[in-house]
Each structure stands twice: as C-alpha cells, then as structure tokens.
Amino acid sequence: MNTPMVFPFKKVEASDQYPSSIKWTQVNSKYEINVTTLEEIDVSVLLPHCLNVLNKIKKEVGTEAHVGPSLFKVFPRTLSIPLTSVWDQLVEDVGVHEFTVDNFEQKLKDFIAAHTTEQDRHELAQQLLHPVKPRSLSVQAFQYRLMEFNNYLHWLPGQDIPLTPVQLKQAFYDGMPHTWQERFINSGMNLSQKTMAEVNRYFRGQEQQAIRKQHDNTENQRRESKRRRTSSGASKQVHSKLPVKRQTQNKLGPDNKRKSSRIPDDALCPVHPGIPIPHTWGECGKNADNINKRPRTESKDSNGSKGTPKRDGFAVDKSSSPEDDDSQGTKATGCFLVETLVQLDSFLTSNASSVLEIQIDELTT
C-alpha cells in the first residue's frame, strides 16, 4: 500500500545555512543556544524547527521560572522576518498576560496550524500505520523516526490520535523487510510476547548479517573482476603477437630472406646489349663494382704468412711482389679496353654500310 509521506524517514541533509548564536538574559542569568533561522513554511521543515527550538530552550534554562519568559523572548528570533510578523500577530490577537510554558505551547500550536492542515495530520497517521524502512536507514534510526513522527501528531491540527506503544511496535515490525519478518516467525518468536527492545535487538542482528553478506559479495565480485581482467589481458597479449609474426614472414618471403636489387656479375651487361661480342656486367666499365676495380684481398695460409692475392670469383696471376701485381693488372685493363674499342668500331662500320645501302635504294626507287 502506497501512502503519501509527509515526513521522509531519512532526514534531509542540512542546508548551507549555519546555526547562529542567540544570547539572552533572564533576571540575572545568561543563556545561549545555537539554531538556524526558519525560512520555509513547508510542514516537513517548519514543525521540526519549532520543536527543536522548544527543546533546546527547555534544556538550556535551568530555572523553571525562567523557561516560559525565555520561550516567548527567544523563539521569534529564530524566525525569518515574514514568519516573525505572523507570530507577533498571533500573540497580539489573543493576548498573553502570563508568559508560561503552557501558554507558549498553545501559541506554538496556533502558529503551526496557520501553516498546516488536518490533512497533513491524517497523512502522517497513515504513514505511521504503513511504514517501510528505507534500505539506507538503520534499524535503530528507523525506530527513532517512528517515535518522532508519532509525537508530531500532537502538534498538528486534526483528530487522528497518536499510536499506542503496541501499535508502534506493530508498525516497527511491519516496516522491516519481508525476509526478516519470515525469519522472525520461523524462529518461533511471537510479536505480542516480545517487548519493543527485544524486537529491535532481533532485527538489528538481521541487519548485521545482511551487511556482512553484502560485504562478502562485493569482495567476491571485485576478485572475480580482477581475475577476468588479468586473464583477458594475458590472452590479448598472446594473440596480438600472431598477426605481427605472420606479417613479418609475408614481407620476408617464404625463405625468410631479403631480396637484393644488385645485378649479378655474371649477368649480361644491360648498358651495352647491342654489342656483337657481349660481355657480363662484372666486366663492364660502367659498373662501379667492376672486377678490375675491386680491391684485392690477401689470405693467410696455415702458417700465418700472406699467400696469393685473390679477387672475388676470378683467378689472378701469381706474382712475387706487389709491383708485378700492379703492372699485370694495368696490362689486363689496357687489353680489355683495346678489345672493346675494336668490337665497337666493327659494329659501327657494319651498321653504317647497312644504313647507306637502305638510303641508296630509297633514292633509286
């Protein structure tokens, strides 16, 4: 059953307004309280403020004769300017000749009735008969709020009477979660045979069990989540390496070797392809790595002495001294150049005669 809530079970957080200090003197005694100023007329704010100021003044003033006059003197100072005007008008219309506690409480009811209705009292009574404990509110705080709301009924206008202790205990039981109520019954206990303190103690035990269970579930979920993140991260790390490895193999080729763009020395010369006597690229003079230009390398024999100089892939004549090697290399180079020039001259001569015969035939025709 959904009933309107005049007062929330969980107290609203205090506003940014700080309590102000109110000091007064009664005869030769000095008193002081700290309260906020009432700015709103909503019943959920107005009624708690009025009763809070009343209780603070009664607790502060130790002399009974000073309580009544202090109430009439201090309470208006806790109201905003519009609400102070309402209070002053109520006191002036009725007229107060004796500043007693009873007279003040009567004027306070009139002040509250000026801003509330009988419907507010009726809805509060229904809220007490069908309460539901909020999940975030403790069992002990829930009981205190029920007692507090039951006291509010006395100050509101209307005919709904406050709950009796038996009704209040039943309301407290009805506001508990259904699972806790079932455990209470299954344990063999009888609500009518238990005091309010015993019922409160039982449900506080259920509350502690629920808190421990919730804490354990949270810890288990946290560990499970951490385990999943760890396993998932390791799996991703392993699988992420596979495509890179395949990609590297594809780039390097099936033999996993890099290809070279250099022309082999034994390949036909690409610079002079039309010469009648072809030569290899390693023998071409246009090749920067011509075999005749390569530096010689010396090898050592098993005794550690220098042996015959070698050239890559080509045999060279043995020489007894470096000077003879240089002269023989120079002669070989000269012979190669002379042979190349002869071949080129023969090629040009044969081609020139062919071109001349073609031109003569064209002129004749």
Side-chain angles (χ1 to χ4, degrees):
M1 179 179 180
N2 296 327
T3 58
M5 294 183 62
V6 183
F7 297 91
F9 282 103
K10 188 174 181 180
K11 291 186 177 181
V12 181
E13 296 293 335
S15 61
D16 297 336
Q17 185 182 9
Y18 293 97
S20 58
S21 177
I22 299 179
K23 302 178 182 180
W24 74 96
T25 302
Q26 192 67 34
V27 188
N28 295 327
S29 301
K30 294 182 179 180
Y31 305 104
E32 179 183 359
I33 61 173
N34 295 316
V35 293
T36 57
T37 301
L38 179 62
E39 302 285 350
E40 301 182 33
I41 61 174
D42 187 82
V43 62
S44 61
V45 179
L46 184 142
L47 183 54
H49 174 85
C50 295
L51 299 183
N52 183 39
V53 174
L54 174 62
N55 294 330
K56 283 190 173 183
I57 295 176
K58 285 183 177 181
K59 185 181 295 184
E60 175 68 16
V61 179
T63 304
E64 185 177 356
H66 296 170
V67 177
S70 298
L71 290 171
F72 280 96
K73 181 184 295 185
V74 176
F75 179 74
R77 296 172 60 182
T78 67
L79 305 177
S80 62
I81 295 178
L83 294 177
T84 302
S85 301
V86 175
W87 172 263
D88 293 338
Q89 188 65 36
L90 289 172
V91 174
E92 182 180 352
D93 291 344
V94 178
V96 178
H97 304 286
E98 295 182 4
F99 298 101
T100 62
V101 176
D102 293 337
N103 288 339
F104 175 81
E105 291 181 353
Q106 184 58 47
K107 300 308 301 178
L108 187 60
K109 287 183 179 181
D110 295 339
F111 176 77
I112 295 172
H115 302 90
T116 58
T117 62
E118 294 183 0
Q119 182 65 24
D120 294 329
R121 179 164 179 161
H122 176 72
E123 292 178 356
L124 180 57
Q126 294 301 313
Q127 182 179 343
L128 285 171
L129 291 173
H130 308 283
V132 177
K133 186 187 82 67
R135 186 182 183 88
S136 58
L137 189 66
S138 66
V139 172
Q140 190 68 58
F142 181 65
Q143 180 189 0
Y144 289 161
R145 290 295 280 173
L146 288 177
M147 297 170 62
E148 187 178 9
F149 293 168
N150 197 42
N151 185 45
Y152 286 171
L153 289 174
H154 175 72
W155 295 92
L156 293 172
Q159 301 299 324
D160 294 88
I161 60 177
L163 301 183
T164 63
V166 176
Q167 291 175 326
L168 198 60
K169 181 176 64 175
Q170 183 65 48
F172 175 74
Y173 174 84
D174 294 339
M176 293 296 112
H178 294 291
T179 305
W180 297 1
Q181 295 180 22
E182 292 177 359
R183 292 174 185 172
F184 182 87
I185 296 174
N186 295 334
S187 64
M189 290 187 289
N190 192 334
L191 183 62
S192 61
Q193 298 176 357
K194 298 294 182 179
T195 62
M196 185 66 167
E198 292 174 338
V199 177
N200 188 334
R201 191 180 306 114
Y202 175 83
F203 285 119
R204 288 178 64 185
Q206 295 295 317
E207 181 181 39
Q208 293 299 325
Q209 292 181 12
I211 293 174
R212 286 194 296 268
K213 184 177 181 180
Q214 182 179 6
H215 179 267
D216 294 341
N217 291 338
T218 303
E219 287 297 321
N220 292 335
Q221 291 177 2
R222 183 184 63 82
R223 287 193 292 267
E224 182 67 18
S225 177
K226 183 177 180 180
R227 185 188 65 81
R228 290 180 179 178
R229 289 197 302 269
T230 303
S231 61
S232 176
S235 177
K236 288 182 179 180
Q237 186 175 3
V238 171
H239 291 299
S240 62
K241 294 181 180 179
L242 297 178
V244 176
K245 186 174 181 181
R246 296 195 200 97
Q247 186 176 7
T248 305
Q249 291 178 351
N250 293 337
K251 286 185 177 181
L252 297 180
D255 297 333
N256 202 18
K257 296 181 180 179
R258 297 184 179 275
K259 296 181 179 180
S260 176
S261 60
R262 185 177 180 275
I263 302 175
D265 291 340
D266 56 354
L268 196 63
C269 176
V271 180
H272 309 100
I275 295 178
I277 303 177
H279 59 273
T280 63
W281 176 243
E283 299 171 342
C284 183
K286 296 295 184 179
N287 184 6
D289 296 327
N290 190 315
I291 58 177
N292 296 315
K293 297 180 182 180
R294 295 179 184 176
R296 294 168 298 167
T297 58
E298 295 181 354
S299 62
K300 294 183 179 181
D301 56 12
S302 60
N303 296 328
S305 60
K306 294 182 179 180
T308 304
K310 297 181 179 180
R311 290 189 179 91
D312 296 339
F314 297 92
V316 297
D317 296 336
K318 294 183 179 179
S319 59
S320 59
S321 64
E323 290 79 2
D324 295 339
D325 293 340
D326 293 340
S327 61
Q328 290 181 4
T330 304
K331 291 178 180 180
T333 302
C335 293
F336 175 75
L337 293 176
V338 170
E339 183 180 357
T340 302
L341 292 174
V342 171
Q343 294 175 357
L344 179 62
D345 181 66
S346 175
F347 174 76
L348 293 176
T349 302
S350 61
N351 289 343
S353 60
S354 300
V355 172
L356 181 61
E357 291 176 359
I358 293 173
Q359 291 179 351
I360 293 174
D361 295 338
E362 291 179 352
L363 294 174
T364 305
T365 56

Tab-separated table of all heavy atoms in Angstrom, residues 298-354:
chain	number	residue	atom	x	y	z
A	298	GLU	N	93.958	-10.366	-49.494
A	298	GLU	CA	95.040	-11.282	-49.258
A	298	GLU	C	94.611	-12.297	-48.240
A	298	GLU	O	93.936	-11.962	-47.270
A	298	GLU	CB	96.275	-10.540	-48.762
A	298	GLU	CG	96.846	-9.595	-49.811
A	298	GLU	CD	98.084	-8.890	-49.306
A	298	GLU	OE1	98.401	-9.072	-48.100
A	298	GLU	OE2	98.729	-8.193	-50.079
A	299	SER	N	94.991	-13.527	-48.417
A	299	SER	CA	94.656	-14.594	-47.495
A	299	SER	C	95.919	-15.111	-46.853
A	299	SER	O	97.000	-15.021	-47.440
A	299	SER	CB	93.927	-15.728	-48.230
A	299	SER	OG	94.765	-16.272	-49.212
A	300	LYS	N	95.744	-15.648	-45.710
A	300	LYS	CA	96.867	-16.214	-44.994
A	300	LYS	C	96.783	-17.724	-45.036
A	300	LYS	O	95.703	-18.285	-44.946
A	300	LYS	CB	96.852	-15.738	-43.543
A	300	LYS	CG	97.097	-14.254	-43.420
A	300	LYS	CD	97.156	-13.847	-41.959
A	300	LYS	CE	97.433	-12.356	-41.823
A	300	LYS	NZ	97.512	-11.933	-40.412
A	301	ASP	N	97.927	-18.311	-45.172
A	301	ASP	CA	97.961	-19.767	-45.175
A	301	ASP	C	97.936	-20.302	-43.776
A	301	ASP	O	97.810	-19.546	-42.812
A	301	ASP	CB	99.183	-20.264	-45.941
A	301	ASP	CG	100.478	-19.680	-45.348
A	301	ASP	OD1	100.368	-19.100	-44.231
A	301	ASP	OD2	101.528	-19.796	-45.985
A	302	SER	N	98.080	-21.598	-43.626
A	302	SER	CA	98.000	-22.227	-42.314
A	302	SER	C	99.132	-21.796	-41.410
A	302	SER	O	99.019	-21.844	-40.183
A	302	SER	CB	97.994	-23.752	-42.475
A	302	SER	OG	99.193	-24.163	-43.118
A	303	ASN	N	100.257	-21.326	-42.015
A	303	ASN	CA	101.390	-20.894	-41.200
A	303	ASN	C	101.274	-19.457	-40.770
A	303	ASN	O	102.131	-18.946	-40.046
A	303	ASN	CB	102.699	-21.101	-41.967
A	303	ASN	CG	102.943	-22.570	-42.241
A	303	ASN	OD1	102.552	-23.420	-41.426
A	303	ASN	ND2	103.587	-22.869	-43.378
A	304	GLY	N	100.239	-18.761	-41.258
A	304	GLY	CA	100.052	-17.383	-40.848
A	304	GLY	C	100.708	-16.391	-41.766
A	304	GLY	O	100.603	-15.181	-41.555
A	305	SER	N	101.383	-16.849	-42.859
A	305	SER	CA	102.026	-15.934	-43.807
A	305	SER	C	101.059	-15.564	-44.894
A	305	SER	O	100.108	-16.288	-45.169
A	305	SER	CB	103.266	-16.602	-44.410
A	305	SER	OG	102.899	-17.783	-45.088
A	306	LYS	N	101.344	-14.428	-45.531
A	306	LYS	CA	100.468	-13.953	-46.584
A	306	LYS	C	100.620	-14.827	-47.801
A	306	LYS	O	101.727	-15.150	-48.246
A	306	LYS	CB	100.786	-12.504	-46.943
A	306	LYS	CG	100.488	-11.536	-45.818
A	306	LYS	CD	100.772	-10.119	-46.216
A	306	LYS	CE	100.449	-9.146	-45.098
A	306	LYS	NZ	100.723	-7.750	-45.481
A	307	GLY	N	99.493	-15.180	-48.383
A	307	GLY	CA	99.505	-16.041	-49.551
A	307	GLY	C	99.227	-15.275	-50.806
A	307	GLY	O	99.494	-14.075	-50.906
A	308	THR	N	98.550	-15.947	-51.744
A	308	THR	CA	98.292	-15.373	-53.060
A	308	THR	C	97.130	-14.418	-52.983
A	308	THR	O	96.092	-14.744	-52.411
A	308	THR	CB	97.972	-16.482	-54.059
A	308	THR	OG1	99.034	-17.400	-54.063
A	308	THR	CG2	97.749	-15.919	-55.449
A	309	PRO	N	97.231	-13.207	-53.492
A	309	PRO	CA	96.087	-12.282	-53.504
A	309	PRO	C	94.977	-12.834	-54.370
A	309	PRO	O	95.237	-13.487	-55.376
A	309	PRO	CB	96.685	-10.991	-54.075
A	309	PRO	CG	97.898	-11.413	-54.841
A	309	PRO	CD	98.439	-12.621	-54.135
A	310	LYS	N	93.772	-12.574	-53.969
A	310	LYS	CA	92.599	-13.112	-54.660
A	310	LYS	C	91.642	-12.005	-55.029
A	310	LYS	O	91.565	-10.975	-54.375
A	310	LYS	CB	91.854	-14.114	-53.774
A	310	LYS	CG	92.687	-15.316	-53.438
A	310	LYS	CD	91.882	-16.282	-52.572
A	310	LYS	CE	92.709	-17.523	-52.249
A	310	LYS	NZ	91.953	-18.485	-51.415
A	311	ARG	N	90.896	-12.270	-56.108
A	311	ARG	CA	89.791	-11.402	-56.475
A	311	ARG	C	88.544	-12.249	-56.455
A	311	ARG	O	88.596	-13.440	-56.722
A	311	ARG	CB	90.001	-10.796	-57.875
A	311	ARG	CG	91.113	-9.776	-57.929
A	311	ARG	CD	91.131	-9.058	-59.281
A	311	ARG	NE	92.166	-8.083	-59.336
A	311	ARG	CZ	93.402	-8.310	-59.782
A	311	ARG	NH1	93.744	-9.529	-60.197
A	311	ARG	NH2	94.297	-7.343	-59.812
A	312	ASP	N	87.407	-11.638	-56.162
A	312	ASP	CA	86.161	-12.385	-55.990
A	312	ASP	C	85.770	-13.053	-57.300
A	312	ASP	O	85.450	-12.363	-58.283
A	312	ASP	CB	85.027	-11.454	-55.531
A	312	ASP	CG	85.333	-10.892	-54.165
A	312	ASP	OD1	86.157	-11.503	-53.460
A	312	ASP	OD2	84.735	-9.832	-53.835
A	313	GLY	N	85.777	-14.387	-57.292
A	313	GLY	CA	85.250	-15.152	-58.414
A	313	GLY	C	86.161	-15.213	-59.625
A	313	GLY	O	85.776	-15.740	-60.654
A	314	PHE	N	87.352	-14.595	-59.601
A	314	PHE	CA	88.228	-14.576	-60.752
A	314	PHE	C	89.623	-14.979	-60.331
A	314	PHE	O	90.087	-14.581	-59.246
A	314	PHE	CB	88.270	-13.194	-61.414
A	314	PHE	CG	86.952	-12.762	-61.951
A	314	PHE	CD1	86.100	-12.013	-61.165
A	314	PHE	CD2	86.540	-13.114	-63.242
A	314	PHE	CE1	84.876	-11.616	-61.638
A	314	PHE	CE2	85.316	-12.716	-63.712
A	314	PHE	CZ	84.481	-11.967	-62.917
A	315	ALA	N	90.277	-15.708	-61.167
A	315	ALA	CA	91.649	-16.118	-60.876
A	315	ALA	C	92.607	-15.028	-61.295
A	315	ALA	O	92.378	-14.313	-62.283
A	315	ALA	CB	91.989	-17.427	-61.612
A	316	VAL	N	93.679	-14.861	-60.600
A	316	VAL	CA	94.697	-13.864	-60.922
A	316	VAL	C	96.041	-14.569	-60.986
A	316	VAL	O	96.240	-15.637	-60.405
A	316	VAL	CB	94.710	-12.734	-59.874
A	316	VAL	CG1	93.396	-11.998	-59.889
A	316	VAL	CG2	94.987	-13.291	-58.499
A	317	ASP	N	96.905	-13.927	-61.685
A	317	ASP	CA	98.251	-14.493	-61.827
A	317	ASP	C	99.036	-14.327	-60.556
A	317	ASP	O	98.852	-13.339	-59.819
A	317	ASP	CB	98.997	-13.805	-62.985
A	317	ASP	CG	98.300	-14.082	-64.295
A	317	ASP	OD1	97.593	-15.122	-64.366
A	317	ASP	OD2	98.444	-13.250	-65.217
A	318	LYS	N	99.885	-15.301	-60.287
A	318	LYS	CA	100.737	-15.221	-59.110
A	318	LYS	C	101.867	-14.244	-59.379
A	318	LYS	O	102.417	-14.178	-60.462
A	318	LYS	CB	101.322	-16.588	-58.769
A	318	LYS	CG	100.272	-17.590	-58.339
A	318	LYS	CD	100.898	-18.888	-57.946
A	318	LYS	CE	99.867	-19.892	-57.496
A	318	LYS	NZ	100.476	-21.205	-57.118
A	319	SER	N	102.190	-13.491	-58.402
A	319	SER	CA	103.289	-12.538	-58.526
A	319	SER	C	104.150	-12.628	-57.296
A	319	SER	O	103.658	-12.920	-56.209
A	319	SER	CB	102.752	-11.109	-58.714
A	319	SER	OG	101.961	-10.756	-57.618
A	320	SER	N	105.388	-12.310	-57.482
A	320	SER	CA	106.333	-12.398	-56.370
A	320	SER	C	106.379	-11.128	-55.563
A	320	SER	O	106.904	-11.114	-54.468
A	320	SER	CB	107.734	-12.746	-56.902
A	320	SER	OG	108.166	-11.757	-57.809
A	321	SER	N	105.814	-10.018	-56.184
A	321	SER	CA	105.888	-8.733	-55.459
A	321	SER	C	104.660	-7.916	-55.784
A	321	SER	O	104.025	-8.105	-56.812
A	321	SER	CB	107.177	-7.974	-55.853
A	321	SER	OG	107.134	-7.641	-57.236
A	322	PRO	N	104.318	-6.950	-54.954
A	322	PRO	CA	103.173	-6.074	-55.244
A	322	PRO	C	103.344	-5.291	-56.508
A	322	PRO	O	102.387	-4.969	-57.204
A	322	PRO	CB	103.112	-5.181	-54.022
A	322	PRO	CG	103.793	-5.957	-52.935
A	322	PRO	CD	104.855	-6.749	-53.625
A	323	GLU	N	104.624	-4.932	-56.883
A	323	GLU	CA	104.829	-4.127	-58.084
A	323	GLU	C	104.415	-4.917	-59.313
A	323	GLU	O	103.819	-4.384	-60.257
A	323	GLU	CB	106.291	-3.682	-58.191
A	323	GLU	CG	106.691	-2.654	-57.143
A	323	GLU	CD	106.976	-3.258	-55.789
A	323	GLU	OE1	106.887	-4.516	-55.678
A	323	GLU	OE2	107.230	-2.500	-54.831
A	324	ASP	N	104.762	-6.239	-59.357
A	324	ASP	CA	104.390	-7.057	-60.501
A	324	ASP	C	102.885	-7.186	-60.609
A	324	ASP	O	102.329	-7.185	-61.710
A	324	ASP	CB	105.031	-8.446	-60.365
A	324	ASP	CG	106.555	-8.357	-60.435
A	324	ASP	OD1	107.047	-7.353	-60.962
A	324	ASP	OD2	107.192	-9.303	-59.911
A	325	ASP	N	102.191	-7.297	-59.471
A	325	ASP	CA	100.726	-7.401	-59.498
A	325	ASP	C	100.101	-6.161	-60.103
A	325	ASP	O	99.154	-6.231	-60.880
A	325	ASP	CB	100.197	-7.605	-58.076
A	325	ASP	CG	100.638	-8.959	-57.534
A	325	ASP	OD1	100.994	-9.825	-58.356
A	325	ASP	OD2	100.600	-9.109	-56.288
A	326	ASP	N	100.634	-5.003	-59.764
A	326	ASP	CA	100.074	-3.749	-60.286
A	326	ASP	C	100.286	-3.652	-61.782
A	326	ASP	O	99.407	-3.217	-62.533
A	326	ASP	CB	100.719	-2.560	-59.595
A	326	ASP	CG	100.335	-2.500	-58.120
A	326	ASP	OD1	99.299	-3.138	-57.753
A	326	ASP	OD2	101.051	-1.836	-57.327
A	327	SER	N	101.489	-4.059	-62.254
A	327	SER	CA	101.756	-3.952	-63.694
A	327	SER	C	100.882	-4.904	-64.482
A	327	SER	O	100.364	-4.559	-65.541
A	327	SER	CB	103.252	-4.233	-63.963
A	327	SER	OG	103.576	-5.562	-63.547
A	328	GLN	N	100.692	-6.122	-63.950
A	328	GLN	CA	99.857	-7.073	-64.661
A	328	GLN	C	98.406	-6.617	-64.685
A	328	GLN	O	97.698	-6.782	-65.668
A	328	GLN	CB	99.960	-8.451	-63.989
A	328	GLN	CG	101.314	-9.105	-64.197
A	328	GLN	CD	101.389	-10.466	-63.547
A	328	GLN	OE1	100.391	-10.931	-63.019
A	328	GLN	NE2	102.580	-11.108	-63.618
A	329	GLY	N	97.893	-6.022	-63.590
A	329	GLY	CA	96.528	-5.511	-63.576
A	329	GLY	C	96.348	-4.396	-64.575
A	329	GLY	O	95.325	-4.270	-65.243
A	330	THR	N	97.367	-3.556	-64.723
A	330	THR	CA	97.288	-2.443	-65.675
A	330	THR	C	97.255	-2.972	-67.099
A	330	THR	O	96.503	-2.504	-67.961
A	330	THR	CB	98.468	-1.489	-65.478
A	330	THR	OG1	98.477	-1.045	-64.126
A	330	THR	CG2	98.365	-0.294	-66.412
A	331	LYS	N	98.092	-3.979	-67.381
A	331	LYS	CA	98.101	-4.562	-68.733
A	331	LYS	C	96.760	-5.200	-69.058
A	331	LYS	O	96.235	-5.078	-70.157
A	331	LYS	CB	99.209	-5.604	-68.827
A	331	LYS	CG	100.590	-5.001	-68.782
A	331	LYS	CD	101.660	-6.094	-68.838
A	331	LYS	CE	103.080	-5.507	-68.787
A	331	LYS	NZ	104.134	-6.552	-68.845
A	332	ALA	N	96.177	-5.909	-68.074
A	332	ALA	CA	94.885	-6.568	-68.343
A	332	ALA	C	93.815	-5.553	-68.635
A	332	ALA	O	92.965	-5.733	-69.508
A	332	ALA	CB	94.497	-7.444	-67.139
A	333	THR	N	93.845	-4.457	-67.941
A	333	THR	CA	92.837	-3.414	-68.159
A	333	THR	C	92.999	-2.801	-69.541
A	333	THR	O	92.033	-2.546	-70.277
A	333	THR	CB	92.965	-2.333	-67.078
A	333	THR	OG1	92.814	-2.951	-65.809
A	333	THR	CG2	91.910	-1.260	-67.245
A	334	GLY	N	94.278	-2.554	-69.947
A	334	GLY	CA	94.505	-1.972	-71.277
A	334	GLY	C	94.060	-2.902	-72.375
A	334	GLY	O	93.458	-2.479	-73.374
A	335	CYS	N	94.346	-4.177	-72.225
A	335	CYS	CA	93.932	-5.144	-73.245
A	335	CYS	C	92.417	-5.212	-73.369
A	335	CYS	O	91.862	-5.298	-74.466
A	335	CYS	CB	94.500	-6.534	-72.908
A	335	CYS	SG	96.314	-6.629	-73.032
A	336	PHE	N	91.746	-5.168	-72.247
A	336	PHE	CA	90.280	-5.212	-72.290
A	336	PHE	C	89.706	-3.999	-72.998
A	336	PHE	O	88.774	-4.090	-73.796
A	336	PHE	CB	89.746	-5.301	-70.855
A	336	PHE	CG	88.257	-5.222	-70.782
A	336	PHE	CD1	87.461	-6.316	-71.144
A	336	PHE	CD2	87.639	-4.053	-70.385
A	336	PHE	CE1	86.103	-6.238	-71.078
A	336	PHE	CE2	86.264	-3.975	-70.320
A	336	PHE	CZ	85.487	-5.073	-70.666
A	337	LEU	N	90.269	-2.819	-72.751
A	337	LEU	CA	89.776	-1.595	-73.387
A	337	LEU	C	90.018	-1.632	-74.891
A	337	LEU	O	89.170	-1.222	-75.692
A	337	LEU	CB	90.448	-0.372	-72.767
A	337	LEU	CG	90.082	-0.092	-71.294
A	337	LEU	CD1	90.896	1.080	-70.770
A	337	LEU	CD2	88.607	0.214	-71.198
A	338	VAL	N	91.208	-2.104	-75.318
A	338	VAL	CA	91.522	-2.155	-76.757
A	338	VAL	C	90.572	-3.108	-77.455
A	338	VAL	O	90.031	-2.822	-78.525
A	338	VAL	CB	92.998	-2.593	-76.966
A	338	VAL	CG1	93.279	-2.896	-78.440
A	338	VAL	CG2	93.933	-1.516	-76.469
A	339	GLU	N	90.346	-4.254	-76.834
A	339	GLU	CA	89.446	-5.235	-77.427
A	339	GLU	C	88.034	-4.675	-77.546
A	339	GLU	O	87.347	-4.868	-78.546
A	339	GLU	CB	89.446	-6.511	-76.574
A	339	GLU	CG	88.576	-7.599	-77.178
A	339	GLU	CD	88.595	-8.846	-76.307
A	339	GLU	OE1	89.339	-8.841	-75.290
A	339	GLU	OE2	87.866	-9.805	-76.621
A	340	THR	N	87.584	-3.936	-76.551
A	340	THR	CA	86.238	-3.348	-76.567
A	340	THR	C	86.111	-2.316	-77.678
A	340	THR	O	85.101	-2.235	-78.387
A	340	THR	CB	85.935	-2.709	-75.217
A	340	THR	OG1	86.052	-3.698	-74.197
A	340	THR	CG2	84.530	-2.125	-75.186
A	341	LEU	N	87.170	-1.473	-77.874
A	341	LEU	CA	87.122	-0.443	-78.905
A	341	LEU	C	87.080	-1.081	-80.289
A	341	LEU	O	86.390	-0.611	-81.198
A	341	LEU	CB	88.343	0.483	-78.787
A	341	LEU	CG	88.367	1.384	-77.518
A	341	LEU	CD1	89.687	2.155	-77.432
A	341	LEU	CD2	87.198	2.357	-77.577
A	342	VAL	N	87.807	-2.157	-80.478
A	342	VAL	CA	87.800	-2.838	-81.778
A	342	VAL	C	86.425	-3.392	-82.084
A	342	VAL	O	85.915	-3.263	-83.193
A	342	VAL	CB	88.873	-3.961	-81.786
A	342	VAL	CG1	88.742	-4.823	-83.049
A	342	VAL	CG2	90.262	-3.366	-81.698
A	343	GLN	N	85.828	-3.989	-81.107
A	343	GLN	CA	84.489	-4.538	-81.313
A	343	GLN	C	83.477	-3.438	-81.623
A	343	GLN	O	82.600	-3.583	-82.469
A	343	GLN	CB	84.045	-5.312	-80.073
A	343	GLN	CG	84.866	-6.558	-79.803
A	343	GLN	CD	84.469	-7.236	-78.508
A	343	GLN	OE1	83.623	-6.717	-77.815
A	343	GLN	NE2	85.085	-8.400	-78.226
A	344	LEU	N	83.614	-2.312	-80.949
A	344	LEU	CA	82.689	-1.199	-81.177
A	344	LEU	C	82.871	-0.640	-82.586
A	344	LEU	O	81.899	-0.314	-83.279
A	344	LEU	CB	82.914	-0.130	-80.124
A	344	LEU	CG	82.036	1.116	-80.225
A	344	LEU	CD1	80.557	0.734	-80.064
A	344	LEU	CD2	82.420	2.145	-79.159
A	345	ASP	N	84.117	-0.514	-83.059
A	345	ASP	CA	84.375	0.030	-84.391
A	345	ASP	C	83.797	-0.892	-85.459
A	345	ASP	O	83.207	-0.445	-86.437
A	345	ASP	CB	85.899	0.194	-84.591
A	345	ASP	CG	86.228	0.778	-85.951
A	345	ASP	OD1	85.871	1.952	-86.172
A	345	ASP	OD2	86.813	0.043	-86.764
A	346	SER	N	83.947	-2.190	-85.269
A	346	SER	CA	83.411	-3.144	-86.230
A	346	SER	C	81.883	-3.066	-86.284
A	346	SER	O	81.293	-3.112	-87.343
A	346	SER	CB	83.873	-4.556	-85.836
A	346	SER	OG	83.278	-5.524	-86.665
A	347	PHE	N	81.273	-2.897	-85.104
A	347	PHE	CA	79.820	-2.806	-85.058
A	347	PHE	C	79.300	-1.572	-85.765
A	347	PHE	O	78.353	-1.607	-86.541
A	347	PHE	CB	79.362	-2.831	-83.593
A	347	PHE	CG	77.899	-2.596	-83.420
A	347	PHE	CD1	76.969	-3.599	-83.696
A	347	PHE	CD2	77.435	-1.359	-82.994
A	347	PHE	CE1	75.630	-3.371	-83.536
A	347	PHE	CE2	76.098	-1.145	-82.839
A	347	PHE	CZ	75.173	-2.147	-83.108
A	348	LEU	N	79.987	-0.435	-85.559
A	348	LEU	CA	79.546	0.826	-86.174
A	348	LEU	C	79.735	0.781	-87.679
A	348	LEU	O	78.929	1.298	-88.451
A	348	LEU	CB	80.304	2.001	-85.558
A	348	LEU	CG	79.999	2.287	-84.077
A	348	LEU	CD1	80.897	3.415	-83.568
A	348	LEU	CD2	78.530	2.665	-83.921
A	349	THR	N	80.845	0.135	-88.115
A	349	THR	CA	81.122	0.074	-89.553
A	349	THR	C	80.063	-0.753	-90.271
A	349	THR	O	79.524	-0.360	-91.309
A	349	THR	CB	82.516	-0.523	-89.797
A	349	THR	OG1	83.485	0.266	-89.118
A	349	THR	CG2	82.841	-0.591	-91.286
A	350	SER	N	79.727	-1.883	-89.712
A	350	SER	CA	78.728	-2.740	-90.348
A	350	SER	C	77.359	-2.091	-90.357
A	350	SER	O	76.627	-2.157	-91.329
A	350	SER	CB	78.682	-4.089	-89.636
A	350	SER	OG	78.311	-3.889	-88.282
A	351	ASN	N	77.032	-1.436	-89.330
A	351	ASN	CA	75.731	-0.760	-89.267
A	351	ASN	C	75.666	0.413	-90.215
A	351	ASN	O	74.636	0.701	-90.821
A	351	ASN	CB	75.452	-0.294	-87.843
A	351	ASN	CG	75.160	-1.464	-86.909
A	351	ASN	OD1	74.868	-2.557	-87.380
A	351	ASN	ND2	75.246	-1.220	-85.611
A	352	ALA	N	76.801	1.152	-90.360
A	352	ALA	CA	76.811	2.321	-91.248
A	352	ALA	C	76.608	1.880	-92.695
A	352	ALA	O	75.899	2.525	-93.477
A	352	ALA	CB	78.135	3.085	-91.100
A	353	SER	N	77.248	0.768	-93.131
A	353	SER	CA	77.090	0.286	-94.510
A	353	SER	C	75.657	-0.137	-94.769
A	353	SER	O	75.109	0.104	-95.838
A	353	SER	CB	78.050	-0.880	-94.763
A	353	SER	OG	77.764	-1.937	-93.845
A	354	SER	N	75.024	-0.719	-93.792
A	354	SER	CA	73.627	-1.142	-93.957
A	354	SER	C	72.724	0.063	-94.130
A	354	SER	O	71.826	0.084	-94.954
A	354	SER	CB	73.197	-1.971	-92.758
A	354	SER	OG	74.003	-3.120	-92.635
